[in-house]
Amino acid sequence: MSDSPITPSAGRSGLSVGTFGMLGLNIVSVAAGIALWAAVTATGVVGLPTPMAVAGKAFELAANGTLLDDALASLGRVLAGFILGILVAIPVGFLMGWYRVARGIIEPYVQFFRTIPPLAIIPLAIVTMGIEETPKIFVIFLAAFLSSVIATYQGVISVDRTMINAARVLGAGDFTIFRRVVIPASVPYIMVGVRVGLGSSWATVVAAELIAAQSGLGFRMQQAQLYYDLPTIFVSLIAIGVLGLIMDRIVMATDNVLTSWQERL
């Protein structure tokens, strides 16, 4: 009997997991990770706080309102910079991909700033913009923008030319082609850029808060470091991960709606 390739439908029927099944796998995975964490700390070889110590500190910080205040401060900065970055990046990416002249003008600047980590901009932003919210939001904006603009641009130039030519043969003008062909075909790339930009935004805000902030999860970690307060550091790290995960799931749900036409494994 000759071997036959596994088709997408066969892969789904053999390995498909429903929504509740996937949730169950997530819960089992998290529980296993916590159990491993507890086992490692129980040996005393690694100087990490136990899950119970971290949970106790989390309840303490939540009870006095510190955890909520820090989470809201960091979340507000991320949302402001991330949304601004996406709103600017998508039109610029479409402009670069659709018009060669715009590409020639804009691309050198995009590629230049892509080689400079947003974290390296933080000292300059603080010196020029002060230590208030503006520099923090700016560096988050820059991180989200650079990730999303490249993804959008790549989506536009990757559109199948056959579809564009077919639309022209049917009498569609440039605007119709752009609206009905280019934008839908670019959405999967855009959403990948949005997800990458989201991760970059959280990484950037933590770094910004480590340098100059009076509130936020990054600020709380810095303060805890001074007193070797590992449980507080872990609480802040977990809070960042949870908030980032929730936002990522929202982006994924949006992606599923916008690209419902796309076949998935």
Side-chain angles (χ1 to χ4, degrees), residues 47 223-231 233:
Q223 295 300 304
Q225 176 192 3
L226 299 177
Y227 302 99
Y228 204 68
D229 185 0
L230 289 180
I233 295 176

Side-chain angles (χ1 to χ4, degrees), residues 88-114 145-159 161 178 182 186:
V88 176
I90 293 176
V92 172
F94 277 129
L95 196 65
M96 289 173 56
W98 192 244
Y99 296 106
R100 290 183 178 272
V101 174
R103 184 186 312 174
I105 295 173
I106 301 173
E107 187 176 17
Y109 294 98
V110 172
Q111 297 299 337
F112 172 79
F113 281 104
R114 281 187 67 231
F145 171 81
L146 293 174
S147 300
S148 299
V149 72
I150 293 298
T152 303
Y153 161 71
Q154 189 63 41
V156 175
I157 65 174
S158 299
V159 176
R161 300 297 303 181
F178 184 76
V182 175
S186 303

Side-chain angles (χ1 to χ4, degrees), residues 8-25:
S9 59
R12 285 194 297 271
S13 63
L15 298 174
S16 62
V17 178
T19 302
F20 292 105
M22 183 61 69
L23 180 60
L25 288 175

Side-chain angles (χ1 to χ4, degrees), residues 54-118:
V54 173
K57 178 59 71 170
F59 281 119
E60 176 186 336
L61 295 175
N64 60 28
T66 301
L67 181 58
L68 179 61
D69 291 342
D70 288 336
L72 290 177
S74 296
L75 182 61
R77 292 166 185 144
V78 168
L79 285 175
F82 172 68
I83 292 174
L84 285 174
I86 298 302
L87 290 178
V88 176
I90 293 176
V92 172
F94 277 129
L95 196 65
M96 289 173 56
W98 192 244
Y99 296 106
R100 290 183 178 272
V101 174
R103 184 186 312 174
I105 295 173
I106 301 173
E107 187 176 17
Y109 294 98
V110 172
Q111 297 299 337
F112 172 79
F113 281 104
R114 281 187 67 231
T115 62
I116 303 175

